[in-house]
Amino acid sequence: MEKIRVWLKRSGEYLRKHWFIFFVIVSYAAFTVYYMGPAITNCQNFVNGFGDSTGGPIWKYSVNANSGPYVGYQTNTNYPEGESLMSAVDVSSVGQTMLIWGASKIAGPTCGYNVVNAVGFMVTALTMFGFIFWLTNRSRWIAWLAGYAAAFTPYFQVKVGIHPGYGFSALLIGVVWAFFALLKQPTLKRALLLGGLVAACVYFD
C-alpha cells in the first residue's frame, strides 16, 4: 500500500506540473473525435469522403486481406484470369502505403484508414504546437491555438477524408522546425533530421 500511495503522490505532482501538456493532448483528441464523427464512432463502416486514396487502399486491402502492402497479382478481381493491383503510386507514397497497410492489418481496411486519419490530425496538431511553443519561447496558449488552426481548419476537414496525406502536414511543419533549429545550432544530428523529414515528405504522398 505504501508503494501505491507514493506512486499516486508522484503522479499527482507530475500532473500538476505538466497539466498543460495533458490538456493539449486531451483537447486535440476531443477535436479529432468531434470532427471525424462517425468515422470514429462507427469506425468499421464509415469513411469521411471517397476519393483516390479511399478508393485505393480500402478497396485493395478488402479484396485481398492477406496481402502485403503492395497487392500484386491476384484472382479475386478480373476472375478467372486475375490482375495485378500494384501501382506506381504505391512506390512514390511508400510511407503512407505502409502506414495504411499496417493499420488495416490491426483494425481492418476501413477502420484502419480512419485510424490513420485520426493519427494524422493528432500528429499535425501536436507538431505545430511544439514548433510554435519552441519558436515563441514557451507561449503555450498561442502554441495551442496554432496547433488547432493547423490541423482542424475546414479545408483539412474536407481533404483528409479523401487524401490522408493532407492530414500529415506534420511532416512539412517538421521540415520548417528542423530548418530553423539547424540555423540556430548547426549540428550533424539536426542536419540528418532535416534531411530525413524532407525525404519523408517526398515518399509520403
Side-chain angles (χ1 to χ4, degrees):
M1 290 295 295
E2 183 62 27
K3 290 183 178 180
I4 295 176
R5 282 195 293 270
V6 171
W7 180 83
L8 289 174
K9 182 180 179 180
R10 289 179 178 175
S11 298
E13 292 174 352
Y14 185 84
L15 286 172
R16 283 193 294 273
K17 185 177 180 181
H18 301 285
W19 69 270
F20 195 80
I21 299 299
F22 287 95
F23 164 75
V24 168
I25 295 172
V26 170
S27 62
Y28 287 159
F31 289 138
T32 299
V33 172
Y34 174 76
Y35 284 118
M36 290 191 68
I40 293 292
T41 58
N42 191 16
C43 188
Q44 294 287 358
N45 302 304
F46 187 90
V47 176
N48 283 322
F50 288 91
D52 299 338
S53 292
T54 49
I58 293 178
W59 179 73
K60 286 194 299 185
Y61 299 138
S62 298
V63 167
N64 192 346
N66 297 319
S67 71
Y70 301 109
V71 182
Y73 181 83
Q74 45 74 55
T75 58
N76 292 324
T77 60
N78 197 35
Y79 184 84
E81 287 80 10
E83 62 182 335
S84 175
L85 299 182
M86 175 66 178
S87 170
V89 175
D90 295 333
V91 178
S92 63
S93 59
V94 60
Q96 177 178 297
T97 297
M98 296 297 291
L99 190 62
I100 295 175
W101 172 74
S104 72
K105 285 293 185 182
I106 297 171
T110 303
C111 189
Y113 183 87
N114 288 327
V115 167
V116 168
N117 283 330
V119 170
F121 281 126
M122 287 295 296
V123 171
T124 295
L126 289 171
T127 303
M128 180 59 90
F129 169 81
F131 174 46
I132 299 301
F133 188 76
W134 174 84
L135 189 66
T136 60
N137 195 25
R138 305 174 72 85
S139 296
R140 56 189 185 182
W141 286 108
I142 294 175
W144 177 78
L145 182 60
Y148 172 83
F152 301 104
T153 58
Y155 180 79
F156 268 52
Q157 300 307 314
V158 172
K159 283 293 185 180
V160 168
I162 301 172
H163 295 285
Y166 281 83
F168 285 85
S169 60
L171 292 171
L172 295 174
I173 298 167
V175 167
V176 177
W177 188 356
F179 176 74
F180 278 109
L182 182 62
L183 287 179
K184 183 177 181 180
Q185 185 180 348
T187 64
L188 177 60
K189 184 183 294 186
R190 293 188 177 192
L192 291 173
L193 176 62
L194 175 58
L197 287 169
V198 171
C201 290
V202 173
Y203 287 100
F204 199 83
D205 186 7

